[in-house]
Amino acid sequence: MKYLLTAILICLHLAGKGSLTSSEKNITLVSAKNAGDRVKFGLDKLASGLRAAGYSVQFSNQTSKAYSILVGLAAEPSISASLKGEWAEKARAAGKEGFVLKQTTPATIVVAGADASGALYGCLELAEQIRTAGKLPANLQMTDRPEMVLRGTCIGLQKPDYLPGRDVYEYPYTPESFPWFYDRSLWLRYLDMMVENRYNTLYLWNGHPFSSLVKLKDYPYAIEVDDNTFQMNEEVFRFLTTEAERRGIWVIQMFYNILIPKPFAEKHSLKTQDRNRPIIPLIADYTRKSIAAFVQKYPNVGLMVALGEAMEGVGQDDVDWFTKTIIPGVKDGLAAAGIREEPPIVLRAHDTDAPRVMKAALPIYKNLYTEAKFNGEALTTYTPRGSWAELHRELSSIGTVQIENVHILANLEPFRYGSADFIQKSVQAMHNIYGANGLHLYPQASYWDWPYTADKADKRLLQLDRDWIWYKAWARYAWKANRDRQAEVNFWGARLAEKFGTDLEAGKAILEAYEQAGEIAPKLLRRYGITDGNRQTLTLGMLMTQLINPHRYGLFTLLYESEAPEGEMIIEYAEKEWNKKPHTGETPVQIADEVEMHGKKAVAAIEQARTSVTRNRDEFDRLLNDTRSYHALAKTYAQKVRAALQVLRFKYSNQVADLETAVPLLEQSLEDYKELAGLTTDTYLYANSMQTKQRKIPMRGVDKTFIHWREMVPVFTRELAQLKHSIDSLKKAGPGRRLEVQRLVPARVSWKQPAQIYQLEDGASVFSDTSVAITALAPQLKGLSGIRASSRQQVQAGTELRFSTKTPVKLLVAFFKDKHSLNLAAPQLETDASANNYGESEIKIADAVVAGGPGMANVHTYHFEPGTHRFTLGKGRCILLGFIDGKQEIRPYNAGLAGKGRDIDWLFE
């Protein structure tokens, strides 16, 4: 009885301490009569927060005797008079989107924004403090503003695969393709998430949105949707931009160049997209008028321009297209609408010389921004360096705002990611290393499958819900990057405890699991990967040949040179080990050990929190499974890398014993991968949301194949069996095995243009207008019928071949390895989404041709079906080696003309 009486007294004391008088429970929200939509939206959010805490709320345009909260702009006389002196000055000086919260009397709080967004954010901040404390804060006085000027998220109106009869990026806005686009309640939920996290920009990505949103008098046939859909699109777009404006969010519509609508292309016998097509007046006129119509119709919507991908990358065409088509189109639209203020234009630095383009554009258009990828199409490091860092710093120094794009995240798909520590350090790097001041954030996973996640569930999960911590973390540090680490652990621990109904310590344990697992994918890709692009799905694993011979698969060296700390690739480490040379920086062995440790710690941390969970149990179990999956992934890679190093030792030692040492390591890797496949069989629909032919690593994606771990188990099983078979063969035949040279079967075509044909052999000249000749040639290429082109023509205008064939054929093209400006770059999916339309992205014969002057070249193949073809290559020198039978498969190998050792891929093939 004694204890019961004590408990009652304590409860009464606490209740009395936290209570307010009846007058204080009645709150009047005061604002100017002409308050704008953003201020009104902030007032509504503040009122909701107050009511949730038990307050009675009324609105007024003038102060009352009741407890009042004054909300408005710092420049308003009533706000300035209430703040007075120092705090009035602080409010006026708060800066763009800044605000002041100040209790000026015992019964008055002032929320003063330097602008409308500042007033909105001030209301949101006060509402959050009320929610956290359960009541109005006492002695309130604070000022705040965001560090990053632009803080935005991205939604793609694109799909995992192509629409019938269309190519990459070609997705008109229709209810059939994008039913979610017409769901206004979903849009409101998303916009509310954005404003809650203080995002102020929404990027909509589409290849060519204009043919879904505007009609042109001069090109009525260019529209790609029916009248009813067009009207729906107009209504949704107006609804979206209006609701975004209320929340202080600027909508930016992105588009590619040069990409045209299908009906327009068909009418004029053109391709919808052709990277090597020069600027032609018809397409320029159509594009300029499309932009003008869009700007006139939606003058408050910004534009983001991707000059690369669908038109030839770096060159004068980029400058001309931007300054003579796009900017004039925007100005035409402004003139038609009678508007003087320039809407912002964001220049995407992808596959273009952005500094050169900006230098030409700024004299004619001022409201420009630049944007570039933070870690390519992945998340790999918060210590970027090298040439990529130099580009970002150059863009930041122009004088406009440089925006950092956290793009695609191909190495994080499909598992949950919430490492607050990694994200905070990444944002700090954006400021400190890149000098940037804007964020452009992609979904954490399943970008191509928006709005859904890859989780297998009775009802598809929404990215908006599942990846809440992804959006919240990037937004928090875009607002303010330098926050105390221990305070952040407490902050996220509390948020996770609230999410899963645990105590603070369990919440911190869940954070620890997120942060330990969050190191695994970045470290794996930056030390073992082929590319930072979405042609590689990291979580599906890698083939042994991809680990021991990455150059064969089109190694994207920027991944190692700029998007990783200084360190060594697997092949570099193996060579140094054999030659007993010292190692430098982060090594493959070090990362193998570290990721295993991260996985083990992550599982231990989340298991610690498991028994405490009382809320959102299903979601916690999914997070638990993701953590275990990351651990299995780490073990898989670690053991396979150790096996790869033993295989590479055999390359130098020629001792079968080194291969035998690799077998148990590869066996364990396979067992760990089977564990991963088991963890994902009933929990995930796929590993990668881009399910097209652009995806190449570990396996080529065709017709949605190799999208799940269970599909890769047989591949890795055969790989292990082949190694064992190769070891047996070596023991029987002896260690001196040599790879037999594959004979290529020449094919004839009918030329529709004059063509100089010559026989490939040592000493043969490769260009019609220079003395450059072959000095070394892979044996299997000898005797083929090469096509002698003009070097000057190739450099100035590109290469064009017109021919017909009655059977499938493959054209062999040699691309010089020297990245000289005169040489045509090899196909690269990182910068050109069409770079595998002919099956050309992979090197078939490495180090296969040496020509005096340009030097060493690798061979790629282009496949053509029977018919008449007009084929173009971009500007730059290359060697046309002739045609072979289209049905003949070339086993990729290294011809060894560079003297870098023998090819050992055959051990696994």
Side-chain angles (χ1 to χ4, degrees), residues 237-264:
F237 211 78
R238 287 200 179 99
F239 164 80
L240 171 60
T241 53
T242 299
E243 290 297 329
E245 171 67 21
R246 291 180 62 214
R247 293 163 174 80
I249 298 168
W250 162 41
V251 177
I252 303 175
Q253 179 66 66
M254 173 272 181
F255 61 99
Y256 282 109
N257 289 285
I258 303 172
L259 199 153
I260 54 179
K262 188 175 182 181
F264 179 94

Side-chain angles (χ1 to χ4, degrees), residues 780-855:
Q780 70 185 119
L781 297 175
K782 292 183 177 181
L784 292 182
S785 298
I787 303 109
R788 189 173 283 128
S790 163
S791 172
R792 182 178 181 183
Q793 176 72 14
Q794 284 188 326
V795 171
Q796 292 182 350
T799 302
E800 180 178 279
L801 300 179
R802 288 180 282 122
F803 62 92
S804 64
T805 177
K806 294 181 179 179
T807 61
V809 296
K810 289 177 181 174
L811 172 67
L812 277 62
V813 180
F815 293 92
F816 297 109
K817 296 174 70 173
D818 187 349
K819 296 180 180 180
H820 193 282
S821 60
L822 294 179
N823 295 335
L824 177 62
Q828 191 176 78
L829 282 164
E830 282 75 14
T831 55
D832 177 12
S834 65
N836 199 45
N837 284 359
Y838 298 88
E840 73 271 28
S841 66
E842 183 178 285
I843 297 173
K844 293 299 183 183
I845 313 175
D847 297 346
V849 183
V850 182

Side-chain angles (χ1 to χ4, degrees), residues 159 163 172-180 182 225-226 228-229 232:
K159 299 183 73 63
L163 296 178
Y173 294 8
T174 66
E176 294 76 23
S177 293
F178 306 109
W180 57 265
Y182 305 90
V225 297
D226 59 45
N228 184 54
T229 301
M232 291 169 60

Side-chain angles (χ1 to χ4, degrees), residues 629-647:
S629 296
Y630 260 127
H631 187 206
L633 181 72
K635 292 186 295 181
T636 296
Y637 268 100
Q639 294 292 69
K640 198 159 193 173
V641 166
R642 293 174 184 130
L645 289 170
Q646 288 303 120
V647 171

